[in-house]
Amino acid sequence: MKHTLSVLVEDRPGALARIATMFARRGFNIDSLAVGPTERRGVSCITLRVDCEHHSLEQIEKQIHKLVNVLRVTELAPDEAVERELLLLKVSASPERRAELITTAEAFKGRVVDLGPDAILFELTGTPEELDSFQELARPHGIQELVRTGRVGMARASAKRQARRLSAIN
């Protein structure tokens, strides 16, 4: 089963490496990884997606929380969190096919961020499943390049604050 973890860490050198190394030593593959600053100065959020059983997840959370610079570990429950991903996709587009591709992107709330003589660069933000769908629709046109950020997530504003978490800060 896939799980999404949100890990708040002090913004210090080596914090990400310690977490990634902990996963590697225990034989867990990280499916998705995104890191960025938070509203707190000097604190970053690492969002990880991992495939493991529930009892293994509890061990992972405990091990992460023991690491230096880790402030809080939270599992983002699918029904109590909002998760998004960013996709940049460059697809071949002859002048006759551009309108079709742009209309498809608009259906996914995507937008054109660059236009070349024989290609279009799209930007889409959405759930990983939405991005997968757009990617599959664009594939027959010829995908030239593709980059995805990995999931980022946050507990819903309406979610109860009792989300499962181990905490060193509030």
Side-chain angles (χ1 to χ4, degrees):
M1 181 175 189
K2 301 228 180 199
H3 302 275
T4 304
L5 294 175
S6 176
V7 182
L8 291 180
V9 297
E10 294 174 324
D11 194 12
R12 301 285 170 96
L16 177 61
R18 281 187 281 281
I19 291 172
T21 301
M22 190 280 303
F23 275 87
R25 276 190 308 219
R26 284 165 178 73
F28 292 105
N29 185 40
I30 299 172
D31 289 344
S32 170
L33 174 73
V35 182
T38 66
E39 76 285 358
R40 299 173 98 171
R41 189 179 184 97
V43 176
S44 293
C45 181
I46 300 172
T47 307
L48 298 154
R49 183 88 169 157
V50 62
D51 188 5
C52 66
E53 297 300 322
H54 187 72
H55 69 279
S56 297
L57 181 68
E58 290 177 6
Q59 292 302 313
I60 288 170
E61 286 179 346
K62 289 176 184 172
Q63 293 299 317
I64 291 173
H65 203 264
K66 289 180 185 176
L67 297 174
V68 174
N69 305 125
V70 171
L71 303 172
R72 183 172 58 199
V73 181
T74 305
E75 180 186 8
L76 298 175
D79 54 342
E80 294 183 3
V82 175
E83 295 182 13
R84 296 290 184 265
E85 195 172 320
L86 171 69
L87 164 77
L88 293 176
L89 177 78
K90 188 185 302 176
V91 61
S92 299
S94 61
E96 315 73 64
R97 308 287 309 259
R98 288 182 184 206
E100 176 187 346
L101 279 166
I102 291 170
T103 301
T104 303
E106 288 172 350
F108 286 86
K109 299 178 183 158
R111 65 186 190 113
V112 174
V113 292
D114 192 36
L115 195 58
D118 57 355
I120 300 176
L121 178 59
F122 291 103
E123 172 190 276
L124 281 89
T125 304
T127 65
E129 295 78 18
E130 291 169 340
L131 300 184
D132 289 343
S133 295
F134 178 74
Q135 188 177 322
E136 287 309 310
L137 291 171
R139 186 173 306 282
H141 295 275
I143 294 175
Q144 294 181 354
E145 284 183 74
L146 180 145
V147 179
R148 291 173 74 152
T149 59
R151 289 178 190 238
V152 293
M154 183 178 286
R156 290 185 179 278
S158 60
K160 296 176 182 167
R161 192 142 165 94
Q162 71 225 22
R164 200 165 71 81
R165 81 178 164 192
L166 302 169
S167 178
I169 62 172
N170 291 328

